[in-house]
Amino acid sequence: MKLAEALIQRAEIKTQIENLRERLKSNAVVQEGEKPIENPTELMEMVDRKIVELENLIKSINNTNSFSKFYEKESISDVLAKRDMMLKRISILKSLISATEVETKRYSLREIKEFPTVNRNILQKTLDDVCMQYRELDVKIQQLNWQVDLL
């Protein structure tokens, strides 16, 4: 199995667990004299099996990411951490750019005028550059995921 297939399977199992959670919730309480549509004990057993399956899959994915090289340089895990930090930087840049949007709330010339303390154009250019780097790195990661065998 390729790493990409394992990642797809991980997402599917997570979805299945969430569906089981909802089914459990809807069968947790019934009116007096009624029976649940599905047996909560059986549903919980299914949840437990899916959780074990997910745990084992995650361990395999993590091992693969730790021991597989990203184009013979860093491990895939290291590159994933770098990608996550790029996303964090993108988020911070977006919020900073948003904060520079100064609304004119002055009713008279005597009121205090607000000015941004950072150059919005430079921030936007930086954001565009980081977004492009993120997309390029993400494409490389996705390509590699289809080449690497799951350990």
Side-chain angles (χ1 to χ4, degrees):
M1 174 188 303
K2 296 293 182 188
L3 178 56
E5 293 171 296
L7 295 170
I8 292 168
Q9 188 176 3
R10 179 185 66 182
E12 289 173 2
I13 295 171
K14 284 181 175 182
T15 301
Q16 291 169 356
I17 290 171
E18 285 307 308
N19 289 339
L20 287 167
R21 175 199 309 260
E22 292 305 313
R23 288 166 56 191
L24 270 166
K25 283 173 42 179
S26 61
N27 287 284
V29 177
V30 294
Q31 291 181 355
E32 185 178 358
E34 296 290 322
K35 290 185 179 181
I37 296 170
E38 295 181 273
N39 184 334
T41 304
E42 291 174 8
L43 288 173
M44 204 54 226
E45 289 170 358
M46 291 169 64
V47 167
D48 291 339
R49 285 192 300 273
K50 286 293 175 185
I51 286 174
V52 168
E53 183 181 352
L54 180 61
E55 179 183 351
N56 291 332
L57 187 60
I58 288 172
K59 286 178 183 177
S60 295
I61 291 169
N62 289 346
N63 284 334
T64 303
N65 285 338
S66 294
F67 293 109
S68 299
K69 293 296 179 193
F70 185 79
Y71 298 106
E72 299 187 19
K73 297 176 187 173
E74 306 166 284
S75 71
I76 294 176
S77 290
D78 293 340
V79 175
L80 291 173
K82 184 182 294 186
R83 184 186 66 176
D84 290 347
M85 293 308 101
M86 288 174 125
L87 265 182
K88 180 63 74 182
R89 187 158 189 234
I90 287 168
S91 172
I92 290 169
L93 283 167
K94 283 181 177 179
S95 70
L96 181 56
I97 290 169
S98 177
T100 64
E101 295 172 2
V102 179
E103 283 186 42
T104 305
K105 299 177 185 174
R106 294 175 15 165
Y107 298 101
S108 71
L109 294 175
R110 291 187 171 184
E111 293 185 56
I112 299 171
K113 189 173 183 180
E114 295 177 332
F115 294 96
T117 59
V118 292
N119 186 320
R120 183 184 173 113
N121 293 335
I122 292 173
L123 287 174
Q124 187 62 55
K125 171 77 172 98
T126 303
L127 175 61
D128 293 343
D129 291 345
V130 175
C131 285
M132 184 182 69
Q133 292 168 10
Y134 174 84
R135 286 188 304 274
E136 289 171 353
L137 182 61
D138 193 53
V139 165
K140 289 177 183 175
I141 291 169
Q142 299 305 322
Q143 289 172 341
L144 193 59
N145 285 345
W146 285 104
Q147 297 169 5
V148 172
D149 290 318
L150 190 67
L151 300 178

